[in-house]
Amino acid sequence: MRPPAANLLQTVLATFFAARLPARASPGQPARLCVGLSGGRDSVVLLHALSAMVSSGALPVTLTAVHVHHGLSPNADAWAAYCAGFAQHCAVPLLIVRVAVPRDSGEGPEAAARRMRHGVFSECAADWLALAHHRDDQAETVLLNLLRGAGIAGAAGMLAERPQPRGPNLVRPLLEVPRAALEHYAAEHALRWIDDESNEDVHLRRNYLRRDVLPRLEEKFAGAAKSLARAASHFAEASMLLDELAAIDQAALAAPSGRIVLTGFKQLSAARAGNLLRFAWTSAGFRAPDTRWIAEALRQLAATTALSETCLATVDGELHVYRGELHLIGLAPPPPDSPVPWSGEDALPWAGGRIRFVPVTGAGVRRSLLATDAVTLRARQGGERLQIHAGRHHRSLRNLLQESGIPPWRRERLPFLWCDGRLAWVGGLGIAAAMASGPGEEGILPVWDEAA
């Protein structure tokens, strides 16, 4: 007979993925599942259980694993080596990715490491990236977030499945399983794992809750962890309803561009407007802003007119009002300070994106004009003029940019292509008429791929 703990875990895992496999299955190509393997007990148990199910045919997926080497511990190399050996034992391909965790990001080493780790996860070639968080982890998360003053979304804790802006969906198939079940599974299969010494540091808030607070709560409130996890599911349901309301409001207030119209936004109640703004911000791929930022945004937007401009920023992006619409944009590197020479390359980097130089016929800048050493890209300096249409006067870039509806924050990042001191092309506007290729004439068409 199968051991009880193994039976529990495999039943939970089978049920979890059975509900999701049909949406991911494609003829001749099984769904791809990747496990985040830290080397700790929980991730070791998850990978072991999944590999057994895959090898037996109980779970029809392609299974891989990824280990993120943060380099924060002196034992990091040993952890990576252990993960490599364990993955080999399970016959699961493992990818080890080294990251450099920034020390001066202002978010703390734990948060920075988490951000870097999730960045690696988003690059994995899989349909799902599975993490081994369990019910006791969920209870800790809910309690920690409540003590931080989190809202409904924070009180919902960790979601069983969370789509990412790019890459695989993050899944946590063990959220309803208690820690004790994972401990029993590890004992039954005589599994070994690594212990992160930082887990013993009770100066870290999560460790303090795990080691000192929750055990005392369990003494007075039997099943406290289970109750907190159950409360998380109630908060998650409420959060989902708020998101549905925000999606309805967003659709009702959308301009033809798809952006939110300021006048309609200002007619919402403060609570509803804040809910919509938070939803739109996270839907754009940014982390949820804190309550103070939402309050300040609502205060400024209330005093903003359709003709004025407003800008509020977080570490992820910026909120602008331009021509009566709300623009949510990601932060991008500035353009180079000095001119960038072009010597025939297929592409050159520019402000977090790139500029491609595409050979064409009857379009673009005349190739013959670019056969010179004095072709450069540079940012806007001010005072430039451009003649886009033959037979018309040269016009100031300021007027052309305004007429084209290019917003102010984008204007400073526009690339300008100069040839022998003459302005040949401006990204977002076009090519100078006097330098454009005629019918049948060879040309080079600059194409600006902006930062995502």
Side-chain angles (χ1 to χ4, degrees), residues 264-313:
F265 180 84
K266 293 169 67 172
Q267 293 174 6
L268 298 174
S269 66
R272 199 158 170 172
N275 182 55
L276 173 55
L277 185 56
R278 185 180 292 105
F279 174 79
W281 195 255
T282 54
S283 297
F286 306 142
R287 286 170 289 187
D290 62 29
T291 304
R292 289 174 297 178
W293 188 89
I294 291 289
E296 178 60 20
L298 294 180
R299 187 188 70 79
Q300 292 196 28
L301 291 173
T304 299
T305 68
L307 298 179
S308 60
E309 297 174 7
T310 297
C311 175
L312 296 103

mmCIF file of all heavy atoms in Angstrom, residues 264-313:
data_model
loop_
_atom_site.group_PDB
_atom_site.id
_atom_site.type_symbol
_atom_site.label_atom_id
_atom_site.label_comp_id
_atom_site.label_asym_id
_atom_site.label_seq_id
_atom_site.Cartn_x
_atom_site.Cartn_y
_atom_site.Cartn_z
ATOM 1 N N GLY A 264 -14.365 60.658 -16.957
ATOM 2 C CA GLY A 264 -15.166 59.573 -16.401
ATOM 3 C C GLY A 264 -14.563 59.021 -15.128
ATOM 4 O O GLY A 264 -15.284 58.672 -14.179
ATOM 5 N N PHE A 265 -13.241 58.942 -15.088
ATOM 6 C CA PHE A 265 -12.551 58.445 -13.892
ATOM 7 C C PHE A 265 -12.872 59.315 -12.686
ATOM 8 O O PHE A 265 -13.106 58.811 -11.584
ATOM 9 C CB PHE A 265 -11.044 58.437 -14.155
ATOM 10 C CG PHE A 265 -10.221 57.949 -13.006
ATOM 11 C CD1 PHE A 265 -10.009 56.593 -12.802
ATOM 12 C CD2 PHE A 265 -9.641 58.853 -12.117
ATOM 13 C CE1 PHE A 265 -9.245 56.146 -11.733
ATOM 14 C CE2 PHE A 265 -8.884 58.414 -11.049
ATOM 15 C CZ PHE A 265 -8.682 57.053 -10.855
ATOM 16 N N LYS A 266 -12.931 60.632 -12.894
ATOM 17 C CA LYS A 266 -13.175 61.558 -11.789
ATOM 18 C C LYS A 266 -14.611 61.489 -11.271
ATOM 19 O O LYS A 266 -14.905 61.997 -10.189
ATOM 20 C CB LYS A 266 -12.830 62.984 -12.223
ATOM 21 C CG LYS A 266 -11.333 63.177 -12.471
ATOM 22 C CD LYS A 266 -11.030 64.498 -13.152
ATOM 23 C CE LYS A 266 -11.315 65.677 -12.278
ATOM 24 N NZ LYS A 266 -10.850 66.954 -12.882
ATOM 25 N N GLN A 267 -15.502 60.856 -12.017
ATOM 26 C CA GLN A 267 -16.886 60.731 -11.569
ATOM 27 C C GLN A 267 -17.100 59.524 -10.655
ATOM 28 O O GLN A 267 -18.154 59.393 -10.031
ATOM 29 C CB GLN A 267 -17.810 60.628 -12.784
ATOM 30 C CG GLN A 267 -17.858 61.911 -13.611
ATOM 31 C CD GLN A 267 -18.673 61.755 -14.890
ATOM 32 O OE1 GLN A 267 -19.298 60.718 -15.109
ATOM 33 N NE2 GLN A 267 -18.662 62.778 -15.730
ATOM 34 N N LEU A 268 -16.102 58.648 -10.572
ATOM 35 C CA LEU A 268 -16.201 57.489 -9.689
ATOM 36 C C LEU A 268 -16.014 57.917 -8.240
ATOM 37 O O LEU A 268 -15.375 58.923 -7.947
ATOM 38 C CB LEU A 268 -15.146 56.445 -10.052
ATOM 39 C CG LEU A 268 -15.215 55.813 -11.442
ATOM 40 C CD1 LEU A 268 -14.000 54.908 -11.648
ATOM 41 C CD2 LEU A 268 -16.501 55.028 -11.616
ATOM 42 N N SER A 269 -16.549 57.128 -7.331
ATOM 43 C CA SER A 269 -16.264 57.366 -5.921
ATOM 44 C C SER A 269 -14.777 57.133 -5.667
ATOM 45 O O SER A 269 -14.090 56.464 -6.452
ATOM 46 C CB SER A 269 -17.089 56.414 -5.052
ATOM 47 O OG SER A 269 -16.664 55.065 -5.256
ATOM 48 N N ALA A 270 -14.278 57.663 -4.564
ATOM 49 C CA ALA A 270 -12.856 57.530 -4.264
ATOM 50 C C ALA A 270 -12.455 56.058 -4.145
ATOM 51 O O ALA A 270 -11.407 55.637 -4.645
ATOM 52 C CB ALA A 270 -12.518 58.282 -2.976
ATOM 53 N N ALA A 271 -13.304 55.265 -3.496
ATOM 54 C CA ALA A 271 -12.980 53.848 -3.317
ATOM 55 C C ALA A 271 -12.951 53.123 -4.659
ATOM 56 O O ALA A 271 -12.062 52.310 -4.934
ATOM 57 C CB ALA A 271 -13.993 53.195 -2.385
ATOM 58 N N ARG A 272 -13.916 53.442 -5.508
ATOM 59 C CA ARG A 272 -13.991 52.774 -6.813
ATOM 60 C C ARG A 272 -12.870 53.242 -7.733
ATOM 61 O O ARG A 272 -12.298 52.440 -8.486
ATOM 62 C CB ARG A 272 -15.360 53.054 -7.429
ATOM 63 C CG ARG A 272 -15.765 52.106 -8.521
ATOM 64 C CD ARG A 272 -17.266 52.112 -8.687
ATOM 65 N NE ARG A 272 -17.701 51.398 -9.859
ATOM 66 C CZ ARG A 272 -18.963 51.131 -10.148
ATOM 67 N NH1 ARG A 272 -19.923 51.530 -9.307
ATOM 68 N NH2 ARG A 272 -19.296 50.472 -11.235
ATOM 69 N N ALA A 273 -12.546 54.539 -7.674
ATOM 70 C CA ALA A 273 -11.451 55.058 -8.489
ATOM 71 C C ALA A 273 -10.121 54.453 -8.057
ATOM 72 O O ALA A 273 -9.281 54.083 -8.885
ATOM 73 C CB ALA A 273 -11.404 56.582 -8.396
ATOM 74 N N GLY A 274 -9.919 54.347 -6.739
ATOM 75 C CA GLY A 274 -8.692 53.741 -6.245
ATOM 76 C C GLY A 274 -8.584 52.283 -6.649
ATOM 77 O O GLY A 274 -7.504 51.787 -7.004
ATOM 78 N N ASN A 275 -9.706 51.572 -6.610
ATOM 79 C CA ASN A 275 -9.733 50.168 -7.016
ATOM 80 C C ASN A 275 -9.378 50.025 -8.495
ATOM 81 O O ASN A 275 -8.604 49.147 -8.891
ATOM 82 C CB ASN A 275 -11.120 49.584 -6.742
ATOM 83 C CG ASN A 275 -11.220 48.120 -7.098
ATOM 84 O OD1 ASN A 275 -10.442 47.296 -6.622
ATOM 85 N ND2 ASN A 275 -12.173 47.781 -7.960
ATOM 86 N N LEU A 276 -9.930 50.914 -9.330
ATOM 87 C CA LEU A 276 -9.638 50.879 -10.764
ATOM 88 C C LEU A 276 -8.177 51.204 -11.034
ATOM 89 O O LEU A 276 -7.528 50.542 -11.859
ATOM 90 C CB LEU A 276 -10.553 51.860 -11.502
ATOM 91 C CG LEU A 276 -10.259 52.060 -12.991
ATOM 92 C CD1 LEU A 276 -10.262 50.731 -13.741
ATOM 93 C CD2 LEU A 276 -11.257 53.041 -13.604
ATOM 94 N N LEU A 277 -7.651 52.209 -10.337
ATOM 95 C CA LEU A 277 -6.264 52.597 -10.570
ATOM 96 C C LEU A 277 -5.315 51.471 -10.172
ATOM 97 O O LEU A 277 -4.350 51.176 -10.886
ATOM 98 C CB LEU A 277 -5.947 53.871 -9.782
ATOM 99 C CG LEU A 277 -4.563 54.482 -10.007
ATOM 100 C CD1 LEU A 277 -4.322 54.766 -11.479
ATOM 101 C CD2 LEU A 277 -4.423 55.768 -9.187
ATOM 102 N N ARG A 278 -5.580 50.845 -9.057
ATOM 103 C CA ARG A 278 -4.736 49.723 -8.617
ATOM 104 C C ARG A 278 -4.804 48.575 -9.619
ATOM 105 O O ARG A 278 -3.793 47.963 -9.962
ATOM 106 C CB ARG A 278 -5.174 49.252 -7.233
ATOM 107 C CG ARG A 278 -4.288 48.165 -6.640
ATOM 108 C CD ARG A 278 -4.781 47.751 -5.263
ATOM 109 N NE ARG A 278 -4.607 48.814 -4.279
ATOM 110 C CZ ARG A 278 -5.581 49.578 -3.804
ATOM 111 N NH1 ARG A 278 -6.827 49.404 -4.240
ATOM 112 N NH2 ARG A 278 -5.339 50.511 -2.912
ATOM 113 N N PHE A 279 -6.004 48.289 -10.108
ATOM 114 C CA PHE A 279 -6.190 47.208 -11.081
ATOM 115 C C PHE A 279 -5.452 47.524 -12.385
ATOM 116 O O PHE A 279 -4.766 46.653 -12.944
ATOM 117 C CB PHE A 279 -7.689 47.023 -11.342
ATOM 118 C CG PHE A 279 -8.005 46.030 -12.427
ATOM 119 C CD1 PHE A 279 -7.964 44.669 -12.176
ATOM 120 C CD2 PHE A 279 -8.350 46.466 -13.702
ATOM 121 C CE1 PHE A 279 -8.262 43.754 -13.169
ATOM 122 C CE2 PHE A 279 -8.645 45.550 -14.709
ATOM 123 C CZ PHE A 279 -8.605 44.192 -14.443
ATOM 124 N N ALA A 280 -5.604 48.746 -12.872
ATOM 125 C CA ALA A 280 -4.943 49.118 -14.125
ATOM 126 C C ALA A 280 -3.427 49.065 -13.982
ATOM 127 O O ALA A 280 -2.707 48.655 -14.898
ATOM 128 C CB ALA A 280 -5.389 50.519 -14.556
ATOM 129 N N TRP A 281 -2.943 49.466 -12.808
ATOM 130 C CA TRP A 281 -1.492 49.484 -12.563
ATOM 131 C C TRP A 281 -0.921 48.071 -12.569
ATOM 132 O O TRP A 281 0.087 47.797 -13.217
ATOM 133 C CB TRP A 281 -1.227 50.170 -11.227
ATOM 134 C CG TRP A 281 0.195 50.572 -10.999
ATOM 135 C CD1 TRP A 281 1.094 49.968 -10.177
ATOM 136 C CD2 TRP A 281 0.882 51.676 -11.598
ATOM 137 N NE1 TRP A 281 2.300 50.618 -10.232
ATOM 138 C CE2 TRP A 281 2.198 51.670 -11.087
ATOM 139 C CE3 TRP A 281 0.510 52.664 -12.505
ATOM 140 C CZ2 TRP A 281 3.144 52.619 -11.463
ATOM 141 C CZ3 TRP A 281 1.450 53.612 -12.886
ATOM 142 C CH2 TRP A 281 2.746 53.582 -12.362
ATOM 143 N N THR A 282 -1.567 47.167 -11.866
ATOM 144 C CA THR A 282 -1.059 45.791 -11.824
ATOM 145 C C THR A 282 -1.280 45.081 -13.162
ATOM 146 O O THR A 282 -0.475 44.242 -13.556
ATOM 147 C CB THR A 282 -1.721 44.989 -10.696
ATOM 148 O OG1 THR A 282 -3.147 45.053 -10.827
ATOM 149 C CG2 THR A 282 -1.337 45.571 -9.338
ATOM 150 N N SER A 283 -2.362 45.428 -13.868
ATOM 151 C CA SER A 283 -2.599 44.829 -15.182
ATOM 152 C C SER A 283 -1.529 45.242 -16.177
ATOM 153 O O SER A 283 -1.270 44.528 -17.150
ATOM 154 C CB SER A 283 -3.982 45.232 -15.711
ATOM 155 O OG SER A 283 -5.012 44.745 -14.881
ATOM 156 N N ALA A 284 -0.912 46.400 -15.936
ATOM 157 C CA ALA A 284 0.174 46.857 -16.801
ATOM 158 C C ALA A 284 1.485 46.131 -16.505
ATOM 159 O O ALA A 284 2.498 46.386 -17.164
ATOM 160 C CB ALA A 284 0.370 48.370 -16.653
ATOM 161 N N GLY A 285 1.471 45.234 -15.512
ATOM 162 C CA GLY A 285 2.659 44.460 -15.185
ATOM 163 C C GLY A 285 3.477 45.021 -14.050
ATOM 164 O O GLY A 285 4.571 44.518 -13.760
ATOM 165 N N PHE A 286 2.959 46.055 -13.373
ATOM 166 C CA PHE A 286 3.692 46.661 -12.268
ATOM 167 C C PHE A 286 3.245 46.047 -10.946
ATOM 168 O O PHE A 286 2.145 45.518 -10.823
ATOM 169 C CB PHE A 286 3.448 48.173 -12.220
ATOM 170 C CG PHE A 286 3.741 48.880 -13.517
ATOM 171 C CD1 PHE A 286 2.941 49.916 -13.952
ATOM 172 C CD2 PHE A 286 4.824 48.503 -14.302
ATOM 173 C CE1 PHE A 286 3.204 50.585 -15.138
ATOM 174 C CE2 PHE A 286 5.097 49.154 -15.493
ATOM 175 C CZ PHE A 286 4.291 50.194 -15.917
ATOM 176 N N ARG A 287 4.123 46.168 -9.951
ATOM 177 C CA ARG A 287 3.752 45.728 -8.615
ATOM 178 C C ARG A 287 2.674 46.643 -8.030
ATOM 179 O O ARG A 287 2.629 47.832 -8.339
ATOM 180 C CB ARG A 287 4.983 45.716 -7.704
ATOM 181 C CG ARG A 287 5.947 44.583 -7.979
ATOM 182 C CD ARG A 287 7.249 44.756 -7.239
ATOM 183 N NE ARG A 287 8.049 45.845 -7.802
ATOM 184 C CZ ARG A 287 9.277 46.130 -7.433
ATOM 185 N NH1 ARG A 287 9.861 45.432 -6.480
ATOM 186 N NH2 ARG A 287 9.945 47.125 -8.004
ATOM 187 N N ALA A 288 1.820 46.073 -7.196
ATOM 188 C CA ALA A 288 0.725 46.858 -6.624
ATOM 189 C C ALA A 288 1.280 48.035 -5.835
ATOM 190 O O ALA A 288 2.147 47.855 -4.972
ATOM 191 C CB ALA A 288 -0.139 45.983 -5.726
ATOM 192 N N PRO A 289 0.806 49.252 -6.091
ATOM 193 C CA PRO A 289 1.289 50.416 -5.338
ATOM 194 C C PRO A 289 0.711 50.426 -3.936
ATOM 195 O O PRO A 289 -0.334 49.824 -3.671
ATOM 196 C CB PRO A 289 0.759 51.596 -6.168
ATOM 197 C CG PRO A 289 -0.479 51.066 -6.821
ATOM 198 C CD PRO A 289 -0.212 49.607 -7.087
ATOM 199 N N ASP A 290 1.406 51.113 -3.035
ATOM 200 C CA ASP A 290 0.895 51.163 -1.665
ATOM 201 C C ASP A 290 -0.235 52.172 -1.550
ATOM 202 O O ASP A 290 -0.517 52.946 -2.469
ATOM 203 C CB ASP A 290 2.018 51.459 -0.666
ATOM 204 C CG ASP A 290 2.677 52.815 -0.881
ATOM 205 O OD1 ASP A 290 2.007 53.741 -1.383
ATOM 206 O OD2 ASP A 290 3.868 52.955 -0.552
ATOM 207 N N THR A 291 -0.891 52.139 -0.389
ATOM 208 C CA THR A 291 -2.083 52.970 -0.179
ATOM 209 C C THR A 291 -1.761 54.453 -0.276
ATOM 210 O O THR A 291 -2.569 55.245 -0.795
ATOM 211 C CB THR A 291 -2.704 52.650 1.189
ATOM 212 O OG1 THR A 291 -2.995 51.254 1.256
ATOM 213 C CG2 THR A 291 -3.984 53.437 1.411
ATOM 214 N N ARG A 292 -0.586 54.849 0.206
ATOM 215 C CA ARG A 292 -0.230 56.273 0.168
ATOM 216 C C ARG A 292 -0.099 56.761 -1.266
ATOM 217 O O ARG A 292 -0.503 57.886 -1.582
ATOM 218 C CB ARG A 292 1.070 56.495 0.929
ATOM 219 C CG ARG A 292 0.949 56.340 2.441
ATOM 220 C CD ARG A 292 2.303 56.419 3.111
ATOM 221 N NE ARG A 292 3.173 55.329 2.672
ATOM 222 C CZ ARG A 292 4.429 55.165 3.073
ATOM 223 N NH1 ARG A 292 4.959 56.027 3.926
ATOM 224 N NH2 ARG A 292 5.148 54.143 2.655
ATOM 225 N N TRP A 293 0.458 55.932 -2.147
ATOM 226 C CA TRP A 293 0.602 56.335 -3.544
ATOM 227 C C TRP A 293 -0.769 56.464 -4.197
ATOM 228 O O TRP A 293 -1.028 57.419 -4.943
ATOM 229 C CB TRP A 293 1.463 55.325 -4.295
ATOM 230 C CG TRP A 293 1.816 55.765 -5.693
ATOM 231 C CD1 TRP A 293 2.886 56.503 -6.072
ATOM 232 C CD2 TRP A 293 1.075 55.486 -6.888
ATOM 233 N NE1 TRP A 293 2.878 56.707 -7.429
ATOM 234 C CE2 TRP A 293 1.769 56.096 -7.954
ATOM 235 C CE3 TRP A 293 -0.098 54.795 -7.163
ATOM 236 C CZ2 TRP A 293 1.329 56.026 -9.280
ATOM 237 C CZ3 TRP A 293 -0.543 54.726 -8.482
ATOM 238 C CH2 TRP A 293 0.166 55.335 -9.504
ATOM 239 N N ILE A 294 -1.652 55.516 -3.927
ATOM 240 C CA ILE A 294 -3.001 55.584 -4.489
ATOM 241 C C ILE A 294 -3.702 56.859 -4.022
ATOM 242 O O ILE A 294 -4.334 57.572 -4.809
ATOM 243 C CB ILE A 294 -3.823 54.348 -4.076
ATOM 244 C CG1 ILE A 294 -3.281 53.080 -4.764
ATOM 245 C CG2 ILE A 294 -5.295 54.544 -4.401
ATOM 246 C CD1 ILE A 294 -3.547 53.009 -6.234
ATOM 247 N N ALA A 295 -3.578 57.173 -2.724
ATOM 248 C CA ALA A 295 -4.230 58.372 -2.188
ATOM 249 C C ALA A 295 -3.682 59.633 -2.826
ATOM 250 O O ALA A 295 -4.446 60.554 -3.170
ATOM 251 C CB ALA A 295 -4.045 58.415 -0.665
ATOM 252 N N GLU A 296 -2.365 59.702 -2.998
ATOM 253 C CA GLU A 296 -1.768 60.883 -3.623
ATOM 254 C C GLU A 296 -2.167 60.983 -5.089
ATOM 255 O O GLU A 296 -2.429 62.080 -5.605
ATOM 256 C CB GLU A 296 -0.241 60.828 -3.490
ATOM 257 C CG GLU A 296 0.512 61.982 -4.144
ATOM 258 C CD GLU A 296 0.140 63.343 -3.567
ATOM 259 O OE1 GLU A 296 -0.393 63.401 -2.441
ATOM 260 O OE2 GLU A 296 0.407 64.363 -4.257
ATOM 261 N N ALA A 297 -2.234 59.848 -5.775
ATOM 262 C CA ALA A 297 -2.656 59.860 -7.177
ATOM 263 C C ALA A 297 -4.089 60.370 -7.308
ATOM 264 O O ALA A 297 -4.392 61.202 -8.170
ATOM 265 C CB ALA A 297 -2.527 58.459 -7.771
ATOM 266 N N LEU A 298 -4.976 59.902 -6.438
ATOM 267 C CA LEU A 298 -6.364 60.352 -6.495
ATOM 268 C C LEU A 298 -6.465 61.840 -6.193
ATOM 269 O O LEU A 298 -7.270 62.560 -6.805
ATOM 270 C CB LEU A 298 -7.216 59.551 -5.513
ATOM 271 C CG LEU A 298 -7.384 58.050 -5.816
ATOM 272 C CD1 LEU A 298 -8.254 57.398 -4.749
ATOM 273 C CD2 LEU A 298 -7.972 57.841 -7.198
ATOM 274 N N ARG A 299 -5.649 62.313 -5.246
ATOM 275 C CA ARG A 299 -5.676 63.739 -4.905
ATOM 276 C C ARG A 299 -5.250 64.588 -6.096
ATOM 277 O O ARG A 299 -5.901 65.597 -6.422
ATOM 278 C CB ARG A 299 -4.748 63.999 -3.722
ATOM 279 C CG ARG A 299 -4.822 65.423 -3.179
ATOM 280 C CD ARG A 299 -3.756 65.682 -2.152
ATOM 281 N NE ARG A 299 -2.421 65.722 -2.760
ATOM 282 C CZ ARG A 299 -1.933 66.783 -3.417
ATOM 283 N NH1 ARG A 299 -2.675 67.879 -3.565
ATOM 284 N NH2 ARG A 299 -0.734 66.749 -3.930
ATOM 285 N N GLN A 300 -4.186 64.193 -6.763
ATOM 286 C CA GLN A 300 -3.696 64.976 -7.899
ATOM 287 C C GLN A 300 -4.627 64.865 -9.105
ATOM 288 O O GLN A 300 -4.871 65.861 -9.800
ATOM 289 C CB GLN A 300 -2.283 64.535 -8.278
ATOM 290 C CG GLN A 300 -1.222 64.880 -7.241
ATOM 291 C CD GLN A 300 0.183 64.789 -7.802
ATOM 292 O OE1 GLN A 300 0.416 64.982 -8.999
ATOM 293 N NE2 GLN A 300 1.143 64.484 -6.936
ATOM 294 N N LEU A 301 -5.154 63.688 -9.344
ATOM 295 C CA LEU A 301 -6.043 63.519 -10.490
ATOM 296 C C LEU A 301 -7.339 64.304 -10.312
ATOM 297 O O LEU A 301 -7.924 64.776 -11.295
ATOM 298 C CB LEU A 301 -6.349 62.037 -10.693
ATOM 299 C CG LEU A 301 -5.172 61.175 -11.184
ATOM 300 C CD1 LEU A 301 -5.566 59.699 -11.182
ATOM 301 C CD2 LEU A 301 -4.714 61.604 -12.570
ATOM 302 N N ALA A 302 -7.776 64.467 -9.073
ATOM 303 C CA ALA A 302 -8.991 65.242 -8.828
ATOM 304 C C ALA A 302 -8.821 66.696 -9.245
ATOM 305 O O ALA A 302 -9.785 67.358 -9.633
ATOM 306 C CB ALA A 302 -9.384 65.154 -7.355
ATOM 307 N N ALA A 303 -7.596 67.198 -9.173
ATOM 308 C CA ALA A 303 -7.330 68.597 -9.523
ATOM 309 C C ALA A 303 -6.792 68.747 -10.940
ATOM 310 O O ALA A 303 -6.486 69.861 -11.374
ATOM 311 C CB ALA A 303 -6.322 69.189 -8.533
ATOM 312 N N THR A 304 -6.697 67.651 -11.669
ATOM 313 C CA THR A 304 -6.141 67.682 -13.018
ATOM 314 C C THR A 304 -7.252 67.851 -14.043
ATOM 315 O O THR A 304 -8.301 67.221 -13.943
ATOM 316 C CB THR A 304 -5.372 66.372 -13.310
ATOM 317 O OG1 THR A 304 -4.303 66.250 -12.386
ATOM 318 C CG2 THR A 304 -4.808 66.373 -14.721
ATOM 319 N N THR A 305 -7.018 68.701 -15.038
ATOM 320 C CA THR A 305 -7.974 68.874 -16.125
ATOM 321 C C THR A 305 -7.504 68.085 -17.341
ATOM 322 O O THR A 305 -6.360 67.609 -17.400
ATOM 323 C CB THR A 305 -8.110 70.351 -16.513
ATOM 324 O OG1 THR A 305 -6.877 70.793 -17.118
ATOM 325 C CG2 THR A 305 -8.403 71.207 -15.299
ATOM 326 N N ALA A 306 -8.390 67.966 -18.316
ATOM 327 C CA ALA A 306 -8.064 67.203 -19.522
ATOM 328 C C ALA A 306 -6.911 67.830 -20.293
ATOM 329 O O ALA A 306 -6.215 67.143 -21.054
ATOM 330 C CB ALA A 306 -9.297 67.096 -20.418
ATOM 331 N N LEU A 307 -6.684 69.119 -20.113
ATOM 332 C CA LEU A 307 -5.640 69.807 -20.865
ATOM 333 C C LEU A 307 -4.331 69.928 -20.093
ATOM 334 O O LEU A 307 -3.328 70.377 -20.646
ATOM 335 C CB LEU A 307 -6.123 71.207 -21.269
ATOM 336 C CG LEU A 307 -7.349 71.243 -22.183
ATOM 337 C CD1 LEU A 307 -7.737 72.693 -22.495
ATOM 338 C CD2 LEU A 307 -7.086 70.464 -23.468
ATOM 339 N N SER A 308 -4.346 69.560 -18.819
ATOM 340 C CA SER A 308 -3.122 69.654 -18.031
ATOM 341 C C SER A 308 -2.392 68.325 -18.030
ATOM 342 O O SER A 308 -2.907 67.314 -18.515
ATOM 343 C CB SER A 308 -3.435 70.101 -16.599
ATOM 344 O OG SER A 308 -4.306 69.171 -15.982
ATOM 345 N N GLU A 309 -1.176 68.343 -17.499
ATOM 346 C CA GLU A 309 -0.361 67.133 -17.472
ATOM 347 C C GLU A 309 0.017 66.822 -16.029
ATOM 348 O O GLU A 309 0.321 67.717 -15.248
ATOM 349 C CB GLU A 309 0.901 67.311 -18.322
ATOM 350 C CG GLU A 309 0.604 67.546 -19.806
ATOM 351 C CD GLU A 309 1.852 67.857 -20.600
ATOM 352 O OE1 GLU A 309 2.954 67.761 -20.037
ATOM 353 O OE2 GLU A 309 1.718 68.215 -21.784
ATOM 354 N N THR A 310 -0.029 65.553 -15.699
ATOM 355 C CA THR A 310 0.286 65.088 -14.352
ATOM 356 C C THR A 310 1.213 63.893 -14.460
ATOM 357 O O THR A 310 1.107 63.100 -15.391
ATOM 358 C CB THR A 310 -0.996 64.687 -13.599
ATOM 359 O OG1 THR A 310 -1.825 65.835 -13.448
ATOM 360 C CG2 THR A 310 -0.672 64.132 -12.216
ATOM 361 N N CYS A 311 2.124 63.765 -13.515
ATOM 362 C CA CYS A 311 3.018 62.611 -13.506
ATOM 363 C C CYS A 311 3.249 62.160 -12.072
ATOM 364 O O CYS A 311 3.637 62.965 -11.225
ATOM 365 C CB CYS A 311 4.356 62.931 -14.175
ATOM 366 S SG CYS A 311 5.567 61.588 -14.063
ATOM 367 N N LEU A 312 2.972 60.884 -11.812
ATOM 368 C CA LEU A 312 3.304 60.256 -10.540
ATOM 369 C C LEU A 312 4.075 58.984 -10.851
ATOM 370 O O LEU A 312 3.773 58.284 -11.811
ATOM 371 C CB LEU A 312 2.046 59.909 -9.743
ATOM 372 C CG LEU A 312 1.164 61.068 -9.285
ATOM 373 C CD1 LEU A 312 -0.053 61.179 -10.177
ATOM 374 C CD2 LEU A 312 0.722 60.840 -7.850
ATOM 375 N N ALA A 313 5.061 58.681 -10.023
ATOM 376 C CA ALA A 313 5.932 57.551 -10.330
ATOM 377 C C ALA A 313 6.054 56.605 -9.147
ATOM 378 O O ALA A 313 5.884 56.989 -7.986
ATOM 379 C CB ALA A 313 7.315 58.046 -10.739
#
